[in-house]
Amino acid sequence: MISERQPRQGAQAIRRALSVLRLLAAGRDTGVPLSEVVKATALSRPTVHRIVHVLIEEGIVERNAAGRYAIGGQVGELALARPSRSPLLVAAEPHLARASEVLGDTLFLTVRTGLDTLSVARRIGAYPIQVLSIEVGARRPLGVSSAGVAILAALPATEARKIVATNAVRFEPYRTTPAVVLARIQAARRRGYGIADVGLVQGTKSISVWIKNPDGAPVAAITLSAIRNRLGPRREADVADTLLATARAVEMEMAG
């Protein structure tokens, strides 16, 4: 009995540490207070404190002058072990460049990583007013952005609802709720793509389409963000068609 329990306990400890790391990654250089990590993970404060303390000892986490916790320098060093770009990025880049040239607005490539979305690429268009609301490296809970909604819409309904419920407490800083997110997911399924009528910046609007891997699982999304008067009903449909065609081209590229 003891030998069976220990591996399970070890796996649980690793999963808890990873959940803490993902939350800290969302805080980027600013960091995240311990209380927020406790609230978002539903772990006890002593457990979170113990995990963070070990990660600090290993150089994976740092505590800044404001008393907040952030990803440490050792993570960047570990990332150097894999300098090559992901197959998704390699497949997507030429298609993103082409779509950005055609549409003229900023395009973002966002991937799913666990319960989060991570912005991994950005293409700035030629239109004089560009929306640069999302930086490469920005991490957010799945469901907050139009990209996250699009990815969730492409998942089985049961799995999407489970993710939304798990992320519920993390939605509060973004001024949204599970009910709102679920409604947006349903609308994206009906429409075939996700829309954020109010983007991360006031006066902007975003359209997102999902990308599936060869196994059929949604792994990423392409998002166009623009000022609202650039995305009226007629152009919205044209932009959505271009983004959908781009996503299908990326999928075909990944399938070889």
Side-chain angles (χ1 to χ4, degrees):
M1 181 66 70
I2 293 176
S3 62
E4 291 178 357
R5 186 182 297 116
Q6 285 177 337
R8 285 200 296 270
Q9 289 176 338
Q12 183 186 57
I14 293 170
R15 290 193 179 96
R16 286 176 170 178
L18 288 173
S19 69
V20 169
L21 279 173
R22 292 189 182 104
L23 283 165
L24 297 182
R28 309 195 74 185
D29 289 338
T30 305
V32 180
L34 196 69
S35 59
E36 189 173 316
V37 178
V38 171
K39 185 177 181 181
T41 59
L43 297 172
S44 69
R45 189 177 183 88
T47 297
V48 172
H49 188 273
R50 185 168 58 251
I51 291 171
V52 169
H53 182 72
V54 171
L55 293 173
I56 288 174
E57 288 182 339
E58 297 298 326
I60 304 298
V61 168
E62 296 174 353
R63 188 173 187 267
N64 62 27
R68 299 163 73 95
Y69 297 88
I71 296 297
Q74 176 103 6
V75 173
E77 295 172 12
L78 291 171
L80 293 174
R82 187 183 176 183
S84 60
R85 296 180 302 164
S86 72
L88 172 63
L89 270 175
V90 173
E93 279 192 345
H95 299 289
L96 287 175
R98 193 173 303 117
S100 179
E101 184 177 347
V102 169
L103 296 171
D105 296 292
T106 303
L107 294 182
F108 303 91
L109 180 66
T110 302
V111 299
R112 178 189 175 185
T113 169
L115 296 172
D116 297 342
T117 59
L118 177 67
S119 175
V120 295
R122 182 173 73 180
R123 279 282 179 175
I124 299 175
Y127 187 71
I129 303 175
Q130 295 289 305
V131 177
L132 307 178
S133 55
I134 305 173
E135 296 180 359
V136 172
R139 180 184 290 266
R140 293 180 175 84
L142 268 169
V144 167
S145 63
S146 63
V149 167
I151 292 170
L152 288 170
L155 286 170
T158 302
E159 185 177 352
R161 284 196 298 270
K162 183 177 179 180
I163 291 171
V164 171
T166 303
N167 274 345
V169 70
R170 301 176 63 200
F171 292 156
E172 293 178 15
Y174 299 93
R175 299 180 182 178
T176 191
T177 65
V180 170
V181 173
L182 289 171
R184 291 180 64 196
I185 291 170
Q186 291 176 349
R189 285 199 186 106
R190 292 193 301 267
R191 194 185 294 114
Y193 54 90
I195 288 182
D197 286 313
V198 179
L200 294 172
V201 175
Q202 285 293 328
T204 67
K205 183 175 179 178
S206 297
I207 300 177
S208 295
V209 299
W210 55 77
I211 297 173
K212 294 184 177 181
N213 66 17
D215 295 329
V219 293
I222 300 172
T223 300
L224 179 141
S225 292
I227 55 175
R228 285 187 59 81
N229 62 12
R230 286 273 290 168
L231 287 174
R234 181 176 295 181
R235 187 165 188 265
E236 176 189 306
D238 291 341
V239 167
D241 286 343
T242 300
L243 294 182
L244 288 166
T246 302
R248 301 298 82 80
V250 174
E251 290 173 348
M252 291 179 64
E253 192 88 22
M254 287 196 297

